[in-house]
Amino acid sequence: MASRSGESEAEEEQHRRVPLRERPEWSDVTPLPQNDGPNPVVPIQYTEDFVEVMDYFRAVYVADERSPRALALTAEALQFNSGNYTVWHFRRLILESLKIDLHSELGFVERMAAGNSKNYQMWHHRRWVAEKLGPEARNIELDFTKKILSIDAKHYHAWSHRQWVLQALGGWENELNYCTELLEVDIFNNSAWNQRYFVITRSPFLGGLKAMRESEVLYTIEAIEGYPENESSWRYLRGLYKGETASWVNDPQVSSVCLKILRTKTNYVFALSTILDLICSGYQPMEDIRDAIVALKTTDMDKQNNDDDEIGDQQNLNIARSICSILEQVDPIRINYWIWRKSRLLPST
Amino acid sequence: MSRESEGETNSSAAEAAPPCPTVTQRDQWMVESQVFQIYQLFATIPPNAKTLMLELQRDNHMEFLSKGLRHLSSSFSVLDSNRPWLCYWIFHSIALLGESVDDELEDNAIDFLNRCQDPNGGYAGGPGQMPHIATTYAAVNTLITLGGQKSLASINRDKLYGFLRRMKQPNGGFRMHDEGEIDVRACYTAISVASVLNILDDELMQNVGDYILSCQTYEGGIGGEPGSEAHGGYTFCGLAAMILIGEVNRLDLPRLVDWVVYRQGKECGFQGRTNKLVDGCYSFWQGGAVALLQRLYPIINKQMEGTSQIFTISDVSEEKGILDGTSSHATCHDGRHEGTSESCSSDFKNIGYNFINEWRAQEPLFHTIALQQYILLCAQEQEGGLRDKPGKRRDHYHTCYCLSGLSLCQYSWSKHPDSPPLPNLVLGPYSNLLEPIHPLYNLVLERYREAHEFFFAES
C-alpha cells in the first residue's frame, strides 16, 4: 500500500487493521470456521479479514459470550456485512445483558446508515433501540428520518420507521405541515401523499378522515388542477371518501374538477376514469360532462352509441362505454383493462 | 412548465407549482429517454435485426447463472446472509430456461442448504446463522426446484412447522426471525412454505387475514406494514398469502386491480409504486399480482356488483354481495361460506393445487406483449443476466424475477397453465419460450407438481 505523504511509518501502522489473532485480548478464543462443507455452492470469495472476523464471531456466538469485547466484535462484523441479522440479534442480546446506554447506540446506527441506508436489519435495530429509549427518542428519530428523507424523499424504510415513531412515541403535531412541505417541493411524491393519509386518519390531534375531508378535498383539487397527470393526487382524492362511496358520488367538487380537466382536452385520463368509476357507483353525469366526453371521442368511435336518444340507465351505460372506448385509445398500455371494464358494464341475461 | 396554456383559471395553483421539474419528473424523464431511445432504435431496424434484438440470450444467461453457482467475488460478502436466496434466484432461473446443471452441482446444493438448516427448524442465510423465514422460503423453493427424493426428503417439516409457530405473532403477522421484523413479506414466505410443504394449519393462519387486510392502502395496493405505502413486492406477497389462506375475498379487489394495472407505464415495464421508476423485477411482483387476480374474476365480479348501483348482474344486495365467495377458487375457512358439502377445514390445504388445476382461460389485464418488450429489450444484458433498467448492472435477483415475469407473460392467455402458448403471444423467436410457473409460489410448474405429490402423499 502506498504511504500517504507526510505520514510516519508508525502512524501508518495504526491505520492498518490489526488482525484479531494478533490482539492479546483475544488470545483465549479459538475461532470457529464456517461449516460450508467441502463443496459449497454460491461460495463467496471472502477476504482474509472477513473470514477472521466471522470465525471469531461464531466462537463468541456459540459460547453466548456477552462481553464488551464481543460487542465491539459485532460492530466489526457489521462493517463487513450489515445484512447479517444474526450479528445484529446477538448485538441486541449483549446490549441488554450489559445494560449499555442506548443513546450511543443510535449514533452507531447512524454511522452504519451512512454506508448503506437500504437495509432491513439496520432499521429494525433502530426501531428496537428507539422502543427501549421510549418518548425521549422521539425527536431524535423524527430528525433522523427527516435527514434520510431529505436525501431520498421516498425511502421506504425511513417512512415505515417514521410512521412507527409517530404511533409509538408521538410527535404528530407538525406532521401534516411536513407533508405539505414535501409536496410543495415535489407534488408527485407519492410517499408524502401516503403519509398525509396516514396523518389525517390517525393523528390524535386531528378529527379523523370525516372531519378532515373538506379541507383535504380542497387541497387535493388544487393539486389536481396544477398537474392533472399526477396519479397521486387522484388516488388520494378517491381515498378521502374511503368507506363512503355515496359521499364521493354526491360531492359536486369531484365531478366538477373532472369536467374542468376534460374540457382542457389534455392529461384527462384520470378525469375520465374517475367519471367511469363514479358512474359505476351510481353517478348520473349531467349534460355538460356528457358533452365534454363526447367531444373527446374520435371519428371512429362515433359509429357506436348514439347517446342523445337514450335516457337514464341506458344513457349512463352508453357514456360509460364511450369512456372505455376513449381510454382504449388514449391509454393504450391499459387496453386490456379498459376492455375488461367495458365488459363489466354489460348486464348479462 | 407553464400551466397557463392549459386553460388554468386557478392562479394560486400555478403560483404554488415550482417553476422547474420536480425530482420525480426529472428522474422519470431520464429513464424515459433511455428506454425510448432503445425502442426507437428497434423501430427503425429491419425485421431480421428485430428478431435478433428480441432474442433471449439463453446461452449467455446460463453462463452467468452457472458461474454464480460456482464462484462469487468478495463484493458478494454483503449477501453472505442471503445465500439460499442466491441459490433460489439461480436455480429457478435455470429451471425457467428449461436447463439444468450437472448432478454433482445439484448434490452440492442440497448438501449446502442442509448445512443452512437449523436443527430446531427453518433455514438460515448461511451455515451457523439463525434461521430466517425469508431464507427458509428461498431454501425450500430451491430444493423443490432441484427436485428428486433426496432434495425433498432433506426438508425437516416437523421442525420447520415448530419454527413457523415460534415466529407467529398474536396480531396475525410473523417475525422474520427470533425478535426480528414483522411485515407482509414474512406472512407470505411463511404461508407459502407451509402451504407447499403441507404443514399449513389453523394455528398458522390465525389472524393473518386481519393483518394483511390492514396493510391494504387507500390506493388499492398493499404496503409492508399497516399504514405503509402501497408497493409491488408487498402487494404480491399480501395477495398470494390471502389466496393461500382462503381469505382473498376480504380484500378490496377492484381497487387492487385498478392500482396494479396502473403500475405499467409507457416504458412498458412495471413500477413498484405510484410515480416511481420502472424496474424489471416488478415484472414478476406486479405482473404476478395481475396473473393471480385474473383467476379471481368470480370474486371480483361479486365485489363490483356489490358496490354497483345500476349494473347489477344478479339479485345481490349490497351488504351480502362482497363476502359471498361461491366461486371454486374461494374455499371454506371457519365456516364463513355456506353451501359446500365437503369438510371446510381441509379445503385450504388444497388451495395451491386447485388454483393451478381449476385454471380457466381468461384475458390478461395488463399488456403482456409490452412487458415482454421491456424485459427483452431493456432488461436483458446481451452478455448474460438481466437487470432493473438500462444503465443498471445485472444481478441474480433481477435475472430471476425478470425471467419469472417473462414466463408469466408468455402463458398469460393459455387455456391450461402449462399448455404452450400460440406463437403470436410470445414476443421474439418462439425459442424464447420459458417453462410455466405456479404464480402463487413462483416455482416451475413441473417441479411444483412433483413436490405436491411428495408432500401430499399421505392425505
Side-chain angles (χ1 to χ4, degrees):
Chain A
M1 263 166 55
S3 69
R4 287 169 231 164
S5 58
E7 259 194 20
S8 68
E9 256 187 49
E11 284 171 327
E12 245 186 52
E13 200 48 53
Q14 275 183 344
H15 287 125
R16 221 175 289 149
R17 184 182 168 274
V18 177
L20 287 151
R21 61 185 172 274
E22 285 172 29
R23 299 183 212 175
E25 68 271 23
W26 283 98
S27 56
D28 61 308
V29 173
T30 312
L32 199 55
Q34 185 163 286
N35 178 24
D36 245 17
N39 299 302
V41 290
V42 295
I44 299 169
Q45 194 175 359
Y46 313 112
T47 62
E48 250 186 61
D49 285 347
F50 183 96
V51 172
E52 196 198 38
V53 167
M54 290 313 298
D55 286 353
Y56 275 86
F57 171 75
R58 260 181 290 276
V60 299
Y61 178 63
V62 162
D64 198 13
E65 179 188 315
R66 305 198 193 174
S67 63
R69 72 175 178 180
L71 183 68
L73 185 60
T74 60
E76 273 196 72
L78 290 170
Q79 293 293 340
F80 283 98
N81 176 17
S82 60
N84 193 321
Y85 56 91
T86 304
V87 175
W88 281 108
H89 177 252
F90 192 59
R91 187 177 173 87
R92 285 190 281 277
L93 293 179
I94 300 172
L95 289 169
E96 275 185 321
S97 293
L98 299 182
K99 303 191 194 324
I100 303 277
D101 168 26
L102 293 176
H103 289 93
S104 53
E105 190 65 6
L106 289 175
F108 172 73
V109 179
E110 191 154 346
R111 288 190 296 280
M112 296 280 329
N116 166 32
S117 70
K118 298 219 164 138
N119 171 324
Y120 281 103
Q121 291 73 35
M122 193 200 73
W123 286 98
H124 177 64
H125 190 78
R126 183 103 197 173
R127 197 182 290 203
W128 179 86
V129 174
E131 189 162 31
K132 289 233 171 251
L133 286 172
E136 55 171 291
R138 186 183 89 180
N139 291 339
I140 305 172
E141 293 314 284
L142 291 176
D143 285 344
F144 177 66
T145 50
K146 197 169 191 174
K147 205 190 289 185
I148 302 282
L149 291 169
S150 69
I151 303 168
D152 175 1
K154 304 182 185 183
H155 195 294
Y156 204 83
H157 296 290
W159 279 116
S160 292
H161 187 67
R162 196 174 174 90
Q163 288 191 343
W164 174 83
V165 172
L166 288 166
Q167 291 194 276
L169 308 176
W172 296 92
E173 297 89 331
N174 213 33
E175 197 64 8
L176 190 60
N177 278 340
Y178 179 54
C179 294
T180 305
E181 278 169 28
L182 289 173
L183 289 170
E184 256 164 48
V185 169
D186 186 352
I187 196 72
F188 298 90
N189 184 345
N190 196 66
S191 307
W193 283 102
N194 183 75
Q195 185 72 352
R196 205 177 173 95
Y197 197 84
F198 182 78
V199 174
I200 65 169
T201 49
R202 299 179 194 231
S203 169
F205 292 95
L206 305 170
L209 185 58
K210 257 206 175 92
M212 294 296 293
R213 183 176 296 144
E214 205 182 308
S215 53
E216 286 301 295
V217 167
L218 287 173
Y219 177 85
T220 310
I221 286 181
E222 199 180 309
I224 288 174
E225 288 170 350
Y227 294 93
E229 73 275 32
N230 182 12
E231 187 178 345
S232 294
S233 47
W234 289 98
R235 289 211 176 264
Y236 187 80
L237 181 65
R238 180 71 186 89
L240 290 172
Y241 299 88
K242 191 161 185 244
E244 288 183 60
T245 308
S247 307
W248 176 59
V249 169
N250 295 324
D251 191 338
Q253 294 174 94
V254 177
S255 44
S256 159
V257 68
C258 290
L259 176 60
K260 203 167 189 172
I261 306 301
L262 288 172
R263 281 187 173 145
T264 68
K265 301 198 178 188
T266 327
N267 292 323
Y268 53 79
V269 168
F270 295 115
L272 273 180
S273 62
T274 301
I275 299 285
L276 176 65
D277 290 343
L278 284 166
I279 294 174
C280 290
S281 297
Y283 174 66
Q284 319 217 35
M286 305 299 267
E287 197 177 336
D288 46 9
I289 298 238
R290 295 199 312 269
D291 289 345
I293 292 169
V294 170
L296 294 172
K297 286 167 87 168
T298 58
T299 45
D300 57 335
M301 290 184 231
D302 282 346
K303 294 174 206 146
Q304 321 163 8
N305 317 321
N306 200 347
D307 306 317
D308 302 339
D309 335 350
E310 307 286 356
I311 54 163
D313 275 359
Q314 189 57 39
Q315 186 179 54
N316 291 331
L317 183 56
N318 287 342
I319 273 292
R321 280 204 194 119
S322 297
I323 292 176
C324 291
S325 300
I326 298 168
L327 286 169
E328 283 171 38
Q329 299 241 340
V330 302
D331 191 23
I333 195 74
R334 263 166 287 285
I335 190 167
N336 292 336
Y337 180 61
W338 300 124
I339 290 172
W340 178 69
R341 289 293 301 270
K342 194 193 272 182
S343 76
R344 299 304 309 127
L345 298 174
L346 293 168
S348 63
T349 41
Chain B
M1 282 313 302
S2 154
R3 308 299 302 168
E4 286 90 67
S5 57
E6 306 279 312
E8 177 60 69
T9 53
N10 186 343
S11 57
S12 66
E15 281 162 17
C20 56
T22 71
V23 171
T24 300
Q25 288 176 308
R26 215 178 48 225
D27 288 347
Q28 177 63 19
W29 294 338
M30 294 259 298
V31 173
E32 274 180 26
S33 78
Q34 282 205 290
V35 168
F36 293 152
Q37 207 172 58
I38 295 173
Y39 293 158
Q40 268 150 30
L41 169 68
F42 181 78
T44 59
I45 60 181
N48 287 347
K50 276 195 167 77
T51 307
L52 267 167
M53 226 177 131
L54 287 173
E55 195 176 328
L56 186 64
Q57 298 296 319
R58 288 172 165 279
D59 291 342
N60 291 345
H61 294 324
M62 264 309 287
E63 205 191 309
F64 169 64
L65 292 163
S66 44
K67 251 168 67 180
L69 278 178
R70 296 183 161 86
H71 175 267
L72 296 165
S73 73
S74 62
S75 62
F76 280 83
S77 298
V78 295
L79 288 178
D80 188 40
S81 299
N82 300 74
R83 288 171 71 195
W85 276 115
L86 284 160
C87 291
Y88 169 66
W89 297 329
I90 294 173
F91 278 111
H92 180 58
S93 299
I94 291 173
L96 283 168
L97 290 166
E99 301 283 347
S100 56
V101 298
D102 57 71
D103 291 345
E104 198 188 324
L105 202 48
E106 291 198 356
D107 254 4
N108 293 340
I110 296 169
D111 178 69
F112 172 71
L113 289 171
N114 216 22
R115 290 167 193 272
C116 294
Q117 187 167 206
D118 189 272
N120 291 318
Y123 291 80
Q129 299 177 32
M130 281 166 58
H132 188 294
I133 299 192
T135 47
T136 298
Y137 168 87
V140 168
N141 272 13
T142 304
L143 291 163
I144 290 176
T145 302
L146 291 168
Q149 165 80 17
K150 182 176 175 209
S151 177
L152 301 175
S154 72
I155 305 172
N156 188 333
R157 287 193 286 163
D158 290 338
K159 292 287 188 191
L160 212 167
Y161 175 78
F163 169 63
L164 293 176
R165 283 291 298 270
R166 288 196 300 280
M167 295 305 105
K168 175 86 186 165
Q169 301 300 298
N171 72 345
F174 286 83
R175 285 198 183 277
M176 275 295 193
H177 57 83
D178 192 11
E179 300 199 298
E181 68 273 21
I182 304 172
D183 64 22
V184 167
R185 229 180 15 136
C187 291
Y188 167 69
T189 46
I191 298 290
S192 172
V193 161
S195 167
V196 83
L197 295 179
N198 193 15
I199 54 176
L200 187 57
D201 68 7
D202 285 320
E203 304 292 338
L204 288 175
M205 294 194 297
Q206 186 96 280
N207 295 335
V208 175
D210 294 341
Y211 180 77
I212 296 174
L213 194 58
S214 73
C215 294
Q216 182 170 27
T217 80
Y218 69 90
E219 288 194 82
I222 299 173
E225 297 176 77
S228 296
E229 195 182 354
H231 180 292
Y234 296 117
T235 297
F236 172 82
C237 288
L239 179 59
M242 288 297 256
I243 292 173
L244 287 170
I245 65 173
E247 294 183 35
V248 71
N249 53 331
R250 298 177 65 191
L251 290 167
D252 184 344
L253 294 173
R255 209 70 200 118
L256 213 170
V257 171
D258 190 80
W259 179 81
V260 185
V261 300
Y262 266 97
R263 305 289 51 82
Q264 186 173 25
K266 51 170 85 93
E267 313 91 325
C268 297
F270 277 101
Q271 65 190 177
R273 304 181 248 167
T274 307
N275 281 333
K276 286 216 74 182
L277 301 174
V278 67
D279 180 335
C281 71
Y282 293 112
S283 308
F284 178 76
W285 303 120
Q286 305 283 32
V290 185
L292 294 175
L293 289 164
Q294 276 171 232
R295 312 299 165 201
L296 303 174
Y297 284 147
I299 304 178
I300 298 176
N301 289 343
K302 280 251 183 295
Q303 287 190 0
M304 285 174 83
E305 287 163 46
T307 55
S308 166
Q309 297 286 336
I310 47 173
F311 302 126
T312 48
I313 286 178
S314 57
D315 227 5
V316 176
S317 75
E318 263 181 73
E319 292 82 25
K320 182 173 178 282
I322 293 176
L323 293 181
D324 184 26
T326 51
S327 84
S328 59
H329 294 299
T331 58
C332 289
H333 183 53
D334 289 338
R336 195 176 296 124
H337 307 269
E338 60 283 295
T340 60
S341 53
E342 295 170 85
S343 148
C344 291
S345 59
S346 60
D347 258 14
F348 60 79
K349 294 187 179 235
N350 292 314
I351 290 179
Y353 189 67
N354 292 340
F355 196 85
I356 210 77
N357 288 320
E358 291 168 11
W359 204 258
R360 288 179 200 106
Q362 297 282 2
E363 312 73 43
L365 288 173
F366 69 101
H367 202 308
T368 58
I369 294 294
L371 181 58
Q372 291 183 65
Q373 181 177 301
Y374 180 82
I375 295 170
L376 295 167
L377 295 181
C378 298
Q380 261 202 117
E381 244 181 59
Q382 292 298 310
E383 311 77 45
L386 292 100
R387 63 197 171 201
D388 165 351
K389 56 170 69 67
K392 292 282 173 81
R393 271 251 78 191
R394 67 187 180 180
D395 60 46
H396 303 96
Y397 164 82
H398 282 94
T399 301
C400 170
Y401 289 103
C402 283
L403 289 177
S404 301
L406 186 59
S407 169
L408 279 173
C409 290
Q410 294 170 343
Y411 290 86
S412 57
W413 294 79
S414 293
K415 287 206 192 313
H416 297 286
D418 35 0
S419 66
L422 294 171
N424 64 324
L425 299 168
V426 176
L427 189 62
Y430 200 70
S431 57
N432 280 1
L433 187 64
L434 297 172
E435 295 301 305
I437 60 168
H438 190 315
L440 283 170
Y441 309 104
N442 197 10
L443 288 167
V444 166
L445 206 44
E446 197 192 312
R447 311 298 161 89
Y448 164 76
R449 291 202 205 277
E450 186 194 348
H452 185 264
E453 251 192 67
F454 185 88
F455 294 118
F456 284 73
E458 316 89 60
S459 50

